[in-house]
């Protein structure tokens, strides 16, 4: 058997796992909404829902990076950390690049438990997986260990030496298990330089369903998230939608980076979530694994309500 064929299944599996991690999972299949669809009617932030809105904004970083799961951040289940997987993806394809016969290599392989995955690996002019190379995949009823993948995803390499930079694009990419379904549409750019990871993009749509019911939809535009020694930041225009909240558009900015303490929870920083009218939510870590959430709906910005909860409690409120 040619080495190209031997590598195909391994490369396909690594790509699926890593590409999914960009947002915690895939989605519901054909007919998915386009990214950042303006709402027909939006729900204002109020004293009755501001904690849920705060949780949605705070959890958006986890939804983008695919960290954690089980409902505490991106909506639950089947998520993996992008930053821990992307190196595996890159190295898996890079190590097999020398054996690929052409600059443009197409291959189809059977998935472990049924279905197929098509791969198109385009090396750069130097026949390597470095700046200028691209990987495209299309999964069709691809089943692996009880998880089914469908749809397309692309990874374009911009740099790959001491720093690493690549772009991702999801085309109606879906992931489903017996009880959960995810959907992704949109683009992202990812870079890692000197221990700082930055994710950004023009539009990304992320949805999570459980037992057939919609749990949360997120649409992000002009978004950016960074995480490194100086702390965590996220910004962008976001729209959250679920049965409890309805549809709420907000603008999120991290005015001071969330700096983690010894136990991993932020101990300093400031996140501001601005809604329609005069509504504003401010998240300020208190330094004891907790966060103070201030809500204002007054023209002068004075505080209407304040709640202090642990970060774990906040994350579960979405």
């Amino acid at each position: 058997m040619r080495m190209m064929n031997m590598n195909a299944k391994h490369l396909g599996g690594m790509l699926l796992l890593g590409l999914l991690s960009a947002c915690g999972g895939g989605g519901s299949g054909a007919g998915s909404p386009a990214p950042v669809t303006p709402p027909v009617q939006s729900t204002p932030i109020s004293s009755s829902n501001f904690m849920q809105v705060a949780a949605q904004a705070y959890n958006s970083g986890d939804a983008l990076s695919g960290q954690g799961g089980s409902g505490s951040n991106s909506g639950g289940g089947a998520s993996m950390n992008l930053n821990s997987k992307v190196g595996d993806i890159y190295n898996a394809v890079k190590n097999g690049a020398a054996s690929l016969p052409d600059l443009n290599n197409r291959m189809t392989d059977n998935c472990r438990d049924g279905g197929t995955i098509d791969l198109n690996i385009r090396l750069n002019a130097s026949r390597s997986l470095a700046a200028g190379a691209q990987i495209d995949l299309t999964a069709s009823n691809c089943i692996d260990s009880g998880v089914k993948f469908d749809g397309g995803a692309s990874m374009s390499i911009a740099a790959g030496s001491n720093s690493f930079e690549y772009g991702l694009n999801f085309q109606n990419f879906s992931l489903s298990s017996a009880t959960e379904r995810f959907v992704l549409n949109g683009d992202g750019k990812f870079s890692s330089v000197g221990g700082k990871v930055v994710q950004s993009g023009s539009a990304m749509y992320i949805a999570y369903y459980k037992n057939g019911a919609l749990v949360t939809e997120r649409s992000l535009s002009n978004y950016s998230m960074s995480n490194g020694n100086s702390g965590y930041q996220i910004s962008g225009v976001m729209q959250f939608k679920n049965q409890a909240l309805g549809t709420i558009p907000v603008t999120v900015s991290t005015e001071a980076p969330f700096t983690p303490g010894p136990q991993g929870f932020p101990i300093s920083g400031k996140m501001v979530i601005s809604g329609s009218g005069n509504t504003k939510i401010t998240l300020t870590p208190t330094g004891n694994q907790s966060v103070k959430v201030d809500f204002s709906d007054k023209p002068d910005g004075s505080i209407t309500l304040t709640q202090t909860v642990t970060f774990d409690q906040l994350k579960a409120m979405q």
Side-chain angles (χ1 to χ4, degrees):
M1 181 181 293
R2 294 167 64 186
M3 188 173 294
M4 178 182 70
N5 292 329
M6 291 175 66
N7 287 338
K9 184 176 294 183
H10 177 61
L11 297 184
M14 292 302 298
L15 284 167
L16 281 170
L17 294 177
L19 290 174
L20 278 170
S21 68
C23 294
S28 62
S32 303
V36 194
T37 303
V40 176
Q41 183 176 1
S42 60
T43 303
I45 304 176
S46 67
S47 58
S48 62
N49 66 19
F50 78 97
M51 292 298 292
Q52 287 75 26
V53 176
Q56 290 285 356
Y58 182 74
N59 289 336
S60 291
D62 285 350
L64 279 169
S65 62
Q67 299 180 45
S70 303
S72 64
N73 42 40
S74 62
S79 58
M80 282 167 288
N81 190 309
L82 172 67
N83 304 329
S84 68
K85 283 292 180 184
V86 68
D88 293 339
I89 302 168
Y90 178 73
N91 289 327
V93 182
K94 182 179 179 180
N95 292 339
S99 64
L100 295 174
D102 303 303
L103 291 179
N104 191 7
N105 302 273
R106 290 184 176 274
M107 59 192 78
T108 298
D109 202 0
N110 295 322
C111 299
R112 181 182 302 173
D113 301 315
T116 59
I117 180 171
D118 295 327
L119 284 170
N120 183 12
I121 301 174
R122 285 171 279 181
L123 305 178
N124 66 9
S126 301
R127 299 186 63 84
S128 64
L129 194 74
Q134 181 163 327
I135 307 163
D136 302 321
L137 68 85
T138 303
S140 178
N141 292 312
C142 178
I143 303 173
D144 189 291
S145 301
V147 179
K148 185 175 77 169
F149 307 92
D150 281 288
S154 300
M155 179 180 185
S156 56
I157 311 299
S161 54
N162 293 330
S163 63
F164 192 74
E165 182 177 315
Y166 64 100
L168 284 177
N169 185 276
F170 299 99
Q171 308 98 39
N172 208 36
F173 197 74
S174 67
L175 161 69
S176 60
S177 66
T179 59
E180 297 176 306
R181 295 172 66 86
F182 296 82
V183 61
L184 282 80
N185 275 296
D187 67 275
K189 179 182 177 181
F190 304 81
S191 64
S192 176
V193 181
K196 181 178 182 180
V197 177
V198 179
Q199 301 175 222
S200 62
S202 59
M204 181 67 75
Y205 171 86
I206 311 164
Y208 169 63
Y209 297 79
K210 188 166 186 178
N211 296 322
L214 174 66
V215 176
T216 296
E217 291 178 281
R218 287 185 176 90
S219 295
L220 298 84
S221 61
N222 299 320
Y223 66 89
S224 176
M225 183 184 75
S226 64
N227 203 352
N229 295 332
S230 60
Y232 160 83
Q233 299 183 72
I234 187 168
S235 63
V237 178
M238 305 182 188
Q239 176 182 298
F240 312 126
K241 180 180 179 181
N242 63 25
Q243 189 173 16
L245 284 175
T247 301
I248 297 185
V250 299
T251 299
V252 178
S253 63
T254 309
E255 296 187 355
F258 275 13
T259 305
Q263 294 177 311
F265 295 96
I267 57 175
S268 63
K270 181 180 180 181
M271 178 184 289
V272 176
I273 305 155
S274 302
S276 58
N278 300 309
T279 57
K280 181 182 290 186
I281 302 169
T282 304
L283 277 65
T284 308
T286 62
N288 57 354
Q289 303 184 30
S290 297
V291 57
K292 182 164 70 78
V293 184
D294 296 320
F295 168 64
S296 174
D297 57 3
K298 299 176 181 178
D300 63 359
S302 58
I303 304 303
T304 304
L305 285 172
T306 295
Q307 286 194 35
T308 299
V309 296
T310 67
F311 276 101
D312 282 340
Q313 289 171 332
L314 178 66
K315 290 165 73 70
M317 286 183 180
Q318 67 174 359

